[in-house]
Amino acid sequence: VDMTDMLSKLGGLGSAVIGAGEDVRGDLEGDRQDPKTMTMRGLAINNPRRDGFLRSDTTLLDSFDIERVEAIGGSNSLLFGSGDAGGAITSTSKRAYLNRRPTMTVAATADSEGTRRYTVDAQAGTQYFAFRVNGVRDDTLYFKPGLKRHAEGYHLTATVQPWKRLQIRGEYRYYNRDTIFAQAV
């Protein structure tokens, strides 16, 4: 769900530092993550990019509207990042694809702590126009008393192909996440 957490635990990147000037890592469930302070091979990684553009800290907060995330290390990051030696993180939003029959995926998950998460991903596309909508509602509770996260969001995207070699894409994203961190309880 949390892309920063995924990159830290499965992607081989160093855990994010909780706060500026502190050498405390947010490795436990419910700890705050800051994607600007991730590391690769001991070197800092620049701010994450989304679809090639620098975005706010919400870029890696939730996976409901992300199709792919890449962590590019070392000198290759100079091609895609701002030139940090540690690397670059890029993510790609879900897109509306042409010539796709209508599909819809609805998912619901729950756990023993009381977490509830609902997602929807629906798409339809013709030869010249496609539309896709993604949504999430997430109420996460952690094993630490008092910690929780509530998130709601939706992502709308459309693709139009007026001529054979021209595609016009547009998207709108709304995401709201309220979290009680361990430091704030």
Side-chain angles (χ1 to χ4, degrees):
V1 172
D2 189 299
M3 300 306 292
T4 307
D5 193 39
M6 187 266 315
L7 287 169
S8 173
K9 291 181 179 174
L10 304 174
L13 300 183
S15 301
V17 175
I18 289 177
E22 298 177 19
D23 194 19
V24 179
R25 303 292 175 169
D27 287 334
L28 296 175
E29 293 290 323
D31 282 346
R32 182 167 59 128
Q33 294 284 343
D34 184 4
K36 295 187 303 293
T37 57
M38 297 191 84
T39 60
M40 181 180 289
R41 289 183 248 130
L43 300 170
I45 295 177
N46 64 346
N47 290 344
R49 309 270 172 183
R50 183 164 178 151
D51 298 325
F53 296 100
L54 183 61
R55 296 259 179 121
S56 67
D57 286 349
T58 64
T59 299
L60 296 176
L61 289 182
D62 202 296
S63 62
F64 84 98
D65 63 342
I66 301 234
E67 194 143 7
R68 182 177 66 244
V69 175
E70 298 171 339
I72 304 165
S75 60
N76 287 336
S77 69
L78 297 174
L79 298 172
F80 304 100
S82 62
D84 287 345
I89 300 172
T90 61
S91 61
T92 304
S93 299
K94 290 183 178 179
R95 295 184 174 171
Y97 294 103
L98 300 173
N99 298 317
R100 299 277 173 103
R101 57 189 186 106
T103 59
M104 182 193 286
T105 304
V106 178
T109 58
D111 70 12
S112 62
E113 303 297 332
T115 297
R116 304 288 183 263
R117 180 174 173 85
Y118 308 96
T119 58
V120 64
D121 183 356
Q123 169 172 297
T126 66
Q127 184 177 358
Y128 301 105
F129 178 76
F131 185 77
R132 187 171 186 174
V133 62
N134 302 287
V136 66
R137 179 176 170 88
D138 179 81
D139 291 305
T140 301
L141 300 174
Y142 299 101
F143 69 94
K144 296 179 188 176
L147 299 185
K148 61 183 175 180
R149 177 182 70 216
H150 172 75
E152 291 182 348
Y154 57 87
H155 179 247
L156 310 171
T157 180
T159 302
V160 178
Q161 185 171 358
W163 295 285
K164 184 177 182 180
R165 300 192 189 277
L166 174 67
Q167 282 189 358
I168 301 170
R169 296 182 178 140
E171 71 176 79
Y172 176 79
R173 180 181 191 244
Y174 167 81
Y175 182 71
N176 185 26
R177 177 172 165 166
D178 297 320
T179 305
I180 297 177
F181 296 122
Q183 298 86 347
V185 169

